Amino acid sequence: MKNNNQIRNYILVGLSSSIMMLCLILIKIYGNNLKLIIPLVIALMIFGNSTNNILKLFVLKDGIEEKKQMKIEQNDERNTLIRDKAGAKTNYIMLLINTAITFTLAFKDVNIWIICLFGSLIFIQGMISIFTQIYYSKKY
C-alpha cells in the first residue's frame, strides 16, 4: 500500500508539473485567461500536496521511532484541540474579512454581481460551518 501511494504521488507530481508548464505556456501566448488560470491553480495545489507527501516519505524513510512520534503528535488530544481552535478562529476571521469586503464593495457602487459573489461566499461559509458542526456533534 505504501508503495502504491509513492507511485501515485510521483505520477501526480509529473502530471501536475506538466499541466502547470502547459498552462504557463498558453498564458504566455494567449494572455491572462480565467480558463487557463483555474487549471494552473488546481495543478499547483496537487503538485504541492504530492510533493509534501513525497518529502514526508523521504524524511521518515528509515526512522521507525520518528514515525511513531509523528503519529503520537498527530493524534495527541492537545494538538487536535489546538488545530480545531485555530480552524474555528480562521473561519471567524475570514467571515469578518468577507463581510468587510462586501460592505466596502457595496459602498463603492461596484457591479451587483460582484457584491452577490462575496455575499454568496459568506452564505456558503456559514452553511458549511453549520453542517460541519452538526456532523461532528453526531460523530463524537
Side-chain angles (χ1 to χ4, degrees), residues 8-140:
R8 187 194 73 196
N9 286 326
Y10 286 120
I11 291 172
L12 285 175
V13 165
L15 286 175
S16 61
S17 60
S18 301
I19 292 171
M20 286 188 302
M21 288 299 144
L22 178 67
C23 287
L24 290 174
I25 291 169
L26 291 175
I27 287 173
K28 189 74 172 172
I29 294 171
Y30 297 112
N32 289 342
N33 187 354
L34 190 60
K35 293 179 182 177
L36 297 173
I37 293 174
I38 291 173
L40 175 66
V41 170
I42 293 170
L44 277 169
M45 289 189 301
I46 293 171
F47 179 80
N49 189 28
S50 299
T51 306
N52 181 30
N53 292 338
I54 290 172
L55 291 176
K56 278 183 189 176
L57 291 173
F58 276 123
V59 169
L60 300 175
K61 188 175 185 179
D62 295 324
I64 296 171
E65 293 177 18
E66 288 87 3
K67 287 181 186 177
K68 289 180 183 178
Q69 184 64 30
M70 188 174 121
K71 190 167 186 168
I72 289 171
E73 287 178 5
Q74 284 179 347
N75 295 332
D76 185 27
E77 290 179 19
R78 179 178 174 271
N79 290 337
T80 304
L81 180 66
I82 290 171
R83 277 194 303 268
D84 290 346
K85 284 192 174 197
K89 187 58 102 173
T90 302
N91 186 31
Y92 178 72
I93 291 170
M94 289 307 298
L95 178 65
L96 293 178
I97 291 171
N98 283 336
T99 304
I101 289 172
T102 304
F103 281 122
T104 303
L105 292 174
F107 290 128
K108 288 261 193 194
D109 293 329
V110 178
N111 290 341
I112 190 71
W113 71 270
I114 297 173
I115 297 170
C116 290
L117 178 69
F118 279 96
S120 64
L121 283 175
I122 293 170
F123 177 74
I124 291 170
Q125 185 177 4
M127 296 306 294
I128 290 172
S129 178
I130 290 169
F131 288 135
T132 54
Q133 184 177 2
I134 291 170
Y135 172 77
Y136 286 118
S137 66
K138 288 181 180 180
K139 185 175 180 180
Y140 297 110

